[in-house]
Amino acid sequence: MKRWRAASLAAAVALVLSGCGGTGGGSGKSGDGKGELLVWVDNTRTPAAQQYKKAHPDLKIRIVTIPPEAGYVPTKVSLANRTKSGWPDVVFLTNPAEAATLAGEKFGYAAPLDDLVPKSVRDGFSPGSLDTCTFSGKTYCLRNDIAPTVLWYDATLMKKYGYQVPKTWAEYQQVGLKAAKDHSGTVVGAINGKYGAGTYFGSSGCPTRDTLSLTKVHIDLGQQSCTRVADLLQPMAKAKAVTTVVPTDPAFAKLGKDDKILMLPGPAWFGDFMFGPAFKIPKGRIAAAPMPTWPGETKPYAGQVGGGAFLVSAHAGDRTEEAADLVRWMTSDVTLQAEQPTYPAFTAAAQKWGEAKAEDPYYASDPMPALTAAANALRPGFGAVRFEADWQSSFNDTLGKAADSGGNLRTALSSWQDKLEAAAKTSEYTVG
């Protein structure tokens, strides 16, 4: 099985918003005007695309493997907009937030899929997983995989120290503070960029990027769903129970090697791609639990950090139905998706994918109950936005700096609000 390259996890390039005059409407000049179905996918998805091509010898399909870097697709589509040719009929996004750019008026690239993909298929995706694809009631992409957050923990260390796996955020804070005091250097979380904003604020339902349409976004960090996160993290940041070191940084990997990662709320893909390969934590120690519940709630809502999506070009012309069929198959074929490296967005495929995961000897216990619960509890209001890069960097410039310096996190929320509003307006959103 080809593994998703971890390098793409750290890519953070500003989205290109300078596309000129996306016209939409199917010019018929996708595929370089050669009458072929032009498909752009990353290295991981290339074998599946080739499999589809082999199964459809009557279709002229050209597959191009593209790099997974954020910003690559919008840049290339912007160039195609200028030349009025060369648009891919199908494209895979390693950063689903770019759907907001490609569906926007400036680019005019993404075609609505509501009339192209049956509702029965769209209803088969995990609840809320297509929210990042939906603007003003229209679905502009299908998710390939999702990255719901769970509470990862080191079962061996938890048992050794005599701690119980927390079920509420209050219990999580209590365990984290005690661990930091009794076992110097031990951490229970990471609050950096998307790992802080998507995991903690995303799971709480804080409206940092609630897309109301392609031109309007709701941002209100004064809500309780935001201030309660700041209150949770304030004493933990002071005690160094949570770190601002990004999990993909070698410095964080050292924490794993030194047995200092007690718990780590994070996305589903951390299980396969971080704890063993990066953090060097031996097999039989890592387990997953549902995210802790917030005060007044009983459902363990999950945040989101990652995943991918497929789009169909509005310029595909007479190839539109073929393009939509390929996207439908790539995202919902159970046999295909069960062999993919990350958690499938399509529910039936996720169940099949989970059969092997449940028997994986790396884990201390079956992680699928927690992963399945998370996939079915994605917190609403976490939309795709054109200011994704600024959303991450502004978190670090405000909350991250406050956490490092001992500053007040509630006060930092106001600064983050200002930066998010500025980024949204620069990206031509009305903030409501």
Side-chain angles (χ1 to χ4, degrees):
M1 179 191 305
K2 293 190 176 182
R3 309 298 282 180
W4 185 64
R5 292 182 293 179
S8 67
L9 307 180
V13 181
L15 297 181
V16 178
L17 297 175
S18 58
C20 298
T23 59
S27 68
K29 292 185 180 180
S30 295
D32 292 330
K34 298 177 182 179
E36 62 189 0
L37 190 68
L38 179 57
V39 179
W40 287 5
V41 288
D42 67 343
N43 183 64
T44 303
R45 258 53 60 171
T46 295
Q50 291 171 337
Q51 183 179 340
Y52 184 90
K53 178 179 179 179
K54 184 177 180 180
H56 296 78
D58 55 318
L59 295 180
K60 187 177 181 182
I61 301 176
R62 181 158 65 96
I63 300 166
V64 176
T65 301
I66 61 174
E69 284 79 9
Y72 178 86
V73 173
T75 299
K76 292 299 184 181
V77 169
S78 176
L79 293 175
N81 283 346
R82 292 190 178 98
T83 61
K84 307 299 181 184
S85 65
W87 296 282
D89 297 299
V90 171
V91 68
F92 177 76
L93 300 178
T94 56
N95 179 10
E98 291 176 348
T101 298
L102 297 172
E105 184 178 359
K106 268 193 172 182
F107 278 72
Y109 170 78
L113 301 177
D114 306 270
D115 295 331
L116 297 172
V117 177
K119 185 176 184 298
S120 59
V121 175
R122 288 182 280 120
D123 287 346
F125 288 83
S126 293
S129 63
L130 297 186
D131 286 359
T132 51
C133 297
T134 305
F135 307 98
S136 299
K138 294 182 179 180
T139 308
Y140 287 89
C141 62
L142 294 184
R143 296 297 301 272
N144 175 79
D145 56 313
I146 56 176
T149 59
V150 297
L151 180 63
W152 295 106
Y153 64 95
D154 189 322
T156 299
L157 289 182
M158 292 289 279
K159 182 178 180 180
K160 178 180 178 181
Y161 298 156
Y163 300 141
Q164 297 296 314
V165 178
K167 295 184 178 180
T168 68
W169 285 109
E171 293 172 355
Y172 167 83
Q173 183 190 69
Q174 182 180 21
V175 172
L177 292 175
K178 183 171 177 53
K181 178 182 178 181
D182 295 346
H183 309 282
S184 179
T186 295
V187 299
V188 297
I191 48 173
N192 183 295
K194 60 186 177 182
Y195 302 102
T199 299
Y200 293 94
F201 288 89
S203 71
S204 181
C206 175
T208 64
R209 48 189 288 172
D210 185 2
T211 49
L212 305 179
S213 70
L214 282 166
T215 58
K216 189 172 183 178
V217 63
H218 176 54
I219 302 171
D220 184 2
L221 274 57
Q223 291 192 12
Q224 183 189 19
S225 57
C226 307
T227 57
R228 66 186 181 186
V229 183
D231 293 343
L232 167 79
L233 297 175
Q234 185 76 65
M236 300 180 74
K238 182 178 180 180
K240 305 301 181 184
V242 293
T243 177
T244 57
V245 177
V246 64
T248 52
D249 190 293
F252 199 96
K254 188 176 186 303
L255 292 172
K257 297 174 185 176
D258 294 342
D259 286 346
K260 296 299 183 180
I261 303 175
L262 180 65
M263 295 184 287
L264 183 59
W269 52 265
F270 268 19
D272 286 346
F273 298 100
M274 300 306 293
F275 289 103
F279 305 156
K280 306 302 180 184
I281 297 177
K283 70 177 182 179
R285 288 176 51 172
I286 296 300
M291 291 286 278
T293 58
W294 292 97
E297 299 179 348
T298 57
K299 188 174 183 177
Y301 281 104
Q304 300 184 62
V305 187
F310 278 94
L311 280 70
V312 171
S313 173
H315 307 277
D318 58 7
R319 294 178 298 280
T320 299
E321 290 187 3
E322 287 82 0
D325 184 69
L326 186 150
V327 167
R328 175 202 58 76
W329 182 79
M330 291 282 285
T331 57
S332 65
D333 184 84
V334 173
T335 301
L336 171 69
Q337 279 288 327
E339 296 298 322
Q340 298 304 302
T342 45
Y343 195 97
F346 198 69
T347 299
Q351 293 171 348
K352 185 67 175 177
W353 179 87
E355 293 177 4
K357 196 64 56 188
E359 301 297 327
D360 191 332
Y362 177 75
Y363 297 100
S365 59
D366 179 5
M368 282 308 297
L371 293 174
T372 301
N376 286 286
L378 300 178
R379 176 74 81 168
F382 190 83
V385 291
R386 293 188 289 274
F387 55 94
E388 168 82 12
D390 288 323
W391 175 75
Q392 296 187 43
S393 63
S394 62
F395 176 88
N396 291 339
D397 290 342
T398 55
L399 273 295
K401 287 184 177 179
D404 276 337
S405 65
N408 187 292
L409 297 189
R410 278 210 180 201
T411 301
L413 284 177
S414 297
S415 298
W416 192 23
Q417 171 89 27
D418 292 341
K419 287 182 178 292
L420 287 176
E421 287 188 2
K425 291 174 182 177
T426 298
S427 300
E428 301 186 351
Y429 284 101
T430 298
V431 180

